[in-house]
Amino acid sequence: MEKLLEEFTRLLNIRLMNSEVLTTEDSFRYTFFAAILYSMDIDPHEVILEYPHPILHNRLVDTYIPSILDRAGLVVEFKYDKYSGKYNLPRPLKAGKLINDLYRLQSFQIDLKAKRWFVYLTDSEMATYLSKKTNGLDSFFNLGKGNSLVIDKNIINSRSDTFIKNIPHINDEIFSITCLLSNEMPNKHKLKIYQLN
């Protein structure tokens, strides 16, 4: 998987360096798919987009590559937060949606061999918000490569109502994440990849 992380970082770096090319969450995801095809022995037909979540009704996971024989599969949720002008969503709402994606990914357990990754790209607006200790998510966002963090209700408690109401899938389960990648990217972007343990 290290080869995949290197290729994805390389391709995304090229994309973000070119400010004339619009980058959306979809194009961010497709850059990841290109990296998969370049760096791994996976055929395009093995990549399933928008896979129905096995537990959460009317919810989808962004990408599912099933485990086959000795090859561990991959379940991936993507999020790209960027400043969009005067109609930008409140930062606590965006942060709540981010943590909600982790809970949704955590509950995807039909393929126990599959690795579960949360791939997060953000511009400086959300990076600054998430890095501030006063906002309570700095231990998550500032987690360094190779380090782990327990996700439980303490991450949620004492946050704003706007934050909390965007986490409908929270339950009493405790799980941990490990940071696989934490890179500064062009045009004040930050790329984080977490694996759920």
Side-chain angles (χ1 to χ4, degrees), residues 36-37 40-49 63-68 71 74:
I36 286 174
L37 299 177
M40 300 180 72
D41 188 21
I42 292 176
D43 292 319
H45 69 270
E46 295 178 89
V47 180
I48 306 167
L49 306 180
T63 303
Y64 176 40
I65 302 169
S67 297
I68 298 174
R71 186 194 74 204
L74 189 60

Side-chain angles (χ1 to χ4, degrees), residues 77-100:
E77 279 292 314
F78 297 90
K79 185 163 285 299
Y80 179 26
D81 279 328
K82 68 176 181 173
Y83 181 71
S84 59
K86 66 179 183 176
Y87 299 111
N88 212 33
L89 295 172
R91 288 171 291 184
L93 186 147
K94 284 184 174 184
K97 289 181 177 292
L98 191 154
I99 298 299
N100 185 58

Side-chain angles (χ1 to χ4, degrees), residues 20-178:
E20 295 176 10
V21 174
L22 176 65
T23 298
T24 64
E25 187 167 298
D26 282 342
S27 54
F28 167 53
R29 284 191 279 191
Y30 297 142
T31 302
F32 186 83
F33 304 146
I36 286 174
L37 299 177
Y38 289 154
S39 65
M40 300 180 72
D41 188 21
I42 292 176
D43 292 319
H45 69 270
E46 295 178 89
V47 180
I48 306 167
L49 306 180
E50 305 296 332
Y51 188 86
H53 196 288
I55 295 171
L56 303 174
H57 184 62
N58 288 333
R59 295 289 181 259
L60 306 169
V61 292
D62 289 331
T63 303
Y64 176 40
I65 302 169
S67 297
I68 298 174
L69 302 174
D70 292 336
R71 186 194 74 204
L74 189 60
V75 184
V76 188
E77 279 292 314
F78 297 90
K79 185 163 285 299
Y80 179 26
D81 279 328
K82 68 176 181 173
Y83 181 71
S84 59
K86 66 179 183 176
Y87 299 111
N88 212 33
L89 295 172
R91 288 171 291 184
L93 186 147
K94 284 184 174 184
K97 289 181 177 292
L98 191 154
I99 298 299
N100 185 58
D101 282 351
L102 286 175
Y103 276 98
R104 188 169 60 234
L105 190 56
Q106 182 273 334
S107 64
F108 188 100
Q109 297 192 10
I110 60 168
D111 183 345
L112 298 181
K113 285 174 60 178
K115 298 181 184 308
R116 294 170 293 168
W117 286 8
F118 181 68
V119 180
Y120 183 57
L121 178 66
T122 187
D123 64 11
S124 60
E125 184 201 18
M126 278 304 287
T128 300
Y129 176 81
L130 293 168
S131 294
K132 285 186 181 174
K133 191 171 182 102
T134 54
N135 293 325
L137 293 169
D138 57 310
S139 59
F140 163 75
F141 190 71
N142 296 332
L143 193 64
K145 180 180 177 181
N147 295 323
S148 297
L149 174 72
V150 171
I151 302 291
D152 59 15
K153 285 192 176 179
N154 291 328
I155 294 283
I156 312 305
N157 292 342
S158 75
R159 303 294 168 270
S160 70
D161 289 342
T162 303
F163 176 90
I164 293 169
K165 75 179 182 182
N166 282 286
I167 310 177
H169 304 303
I170 188 170
N171 52 41
D172 292 326
E173 291 185 49
I174 295 172
F175 61 97
S176 69
I177 59 171
T178 299

